[in-house]
Amino acid sequence: MPSLSELLLRLLLTIVVGGLIGAEREYRSKSAGFRTMILICLGSFLFTTFSIYITEGTEDRIASNIVTGIGFLGAGVIFLTDNKVNGLTTAATIWATAALGMGIGGGYYTLVIASTLIVLVSLIIFTKLEEVIDKINQTRNYRIVSPYKDNLLHEYELLFRKYKLSFRRLKQSKNGPNIAGNWIVKGSEKHHNRFIEHILHDTTVTEFEF
């Protein structure tokens, strides 16, 4: 069994690793933030340590239960809003943080430190890259309601093409004198903004969701 000083060093590393990852999530106002990530890393570290040094022969069983438990915790931060799944990155971060806690419990310091750096790079640097990609190609849902006239939805689709947007019509409906169309539309942020500006200045449009 490691000495008390080594166990305290591992405990300190657990707090640092969980705190660094949690600080990034807290800064972005995510549901699992600073305290949560520290507790996840600490819990995984303690379960791993206890499984190795207290209950010999059951290490793999306890480790697998950590993975199962973290899976339920991660599922709790995933939710659906406006036809978009949110929380997947936070759930994956919870999973990775738990694995780092297990690695600290096993004494794999170099691997844990290197993996922590990779996690932080993924959350901080790659987020900027993701934002650049998102500006180049965004997917949006549009709903336009206007007084009915023949081929009106087709006219809107010609506008999509004019502003260099690709689209797929999801549904169309007629309610009283109005007709509504719903589309999934892909294109650059600049082209989306130009189309939105056009529709916002169209006085015949009674409803516009974008």
Side-chain angles (χ1 to χ4, degrees):
M1 182 173 180
S3 64
L4 179 60
S5 60
E6 185 174 353
L7 286 174
L8 290 177
L9 178 63
R10 292 182 182 183
L11 185 59
L12 177 61
L13 182 59
T14 299
I15 295 171
V16 170
V17 168
L20 286 173
I21 297 172
E24 190 280 335
R25 294 287 84 189
E26 191 77 36
Y27 177 77
R28 298 184 185 279
S29 301
K30 300 302 180 180
S31 53
F34 186 71
R35 292 174 299 172
T36 305
M37 291 300 179
I38 289 177
L39 291 173
I40 289 169
C41 197
L42 177 62
S44 297
F45 162 74
L46 291 174
F47 275 120
T48 303
T49 302
F50 294 152
S51 70
I52 294 173
Y53 302 113
I54 295 179
T55 55
E56 293 186 16
T58 61
E59 296 90 340
D60 56 344
R61 183 156 52 88
I62 292 179
S64 65
N65 286 331
I66 294 174
V67 176
T68 302
I70 290 300
F72 282 107
L73 187 61
V77 301
I78 300 173
F79 56 96
L80 179 67
T81 57
D82 298 327
N83 296 319
K84 183 179 179 182
V85 178
N86 294 287
L88 286 174
T89 300
T90 300
T93 305
I94 288 173
W95 189 53
T97 304
L100 292 171
M102 293 174 67
I104 296 170
Y108 298 100
Y109 305 126
T110 303
L111 182 59
V112 166
I113 292 171
S115 299
T116 301
L117 291 175
I118 292 172
V119 171
L120 291 173
V121 166
S122 298
L123 293 174
I124 299 172
I125 306 297
F126 290 174
T127 297
K128 300 296 183 182
L129 178 60
E130 194 175 56
E131 290 172 359
V132 172
I133 295 172
D134 188 52
K135 286 187 177 183
I136 296 172
N137 187 37
Q138 292 184 354
T139 300
R140 297 191 182 186
N141 292 324
Y142 287 128
R143 180 174 185 269
I144 305 175
V145 181
S146 299
Y148 174 80
K149 73 173 185 178
D150 290 342
N151 297 318
L152 180 60
L153 299 185
H154 179 66
E155 290 179 14
Y156 290 136
E157 290 170 353
L158 290 177
L159 278 177
F160 289 139
R161 293 192 177 97
K162 176 183 176 182
Y163 289 107
K164 300 178 181 179
L165 298 168
S166 60
F167 62 90
R168 179 167 63 89
R169 192 188 302 183
L170 296 178
K171 66 177 181 178
Q172 57 193 41
S173 60
K174 187 176 184 300
N175 184 14
N178 293 330
I179 187 169
N182 293 71
W183 296 267
I184 290 180
V185 183
K186 296 181 179 180
S188 70
E189 183 180 53
K190 179 177 67 175
H191 294 150
H192 277 291
N193 289 340
R194 287 177 177 174
F195 174 80
I196 291 170
E197 190 69 19
H198 182 107
I199 297 298
L200 289 176
H201 286 86
D202 188 338
T203 57
T204 65
V205 174
T206 56
E207 291 182 37
F208 180 37
E209 295 179 12
F210 55 95

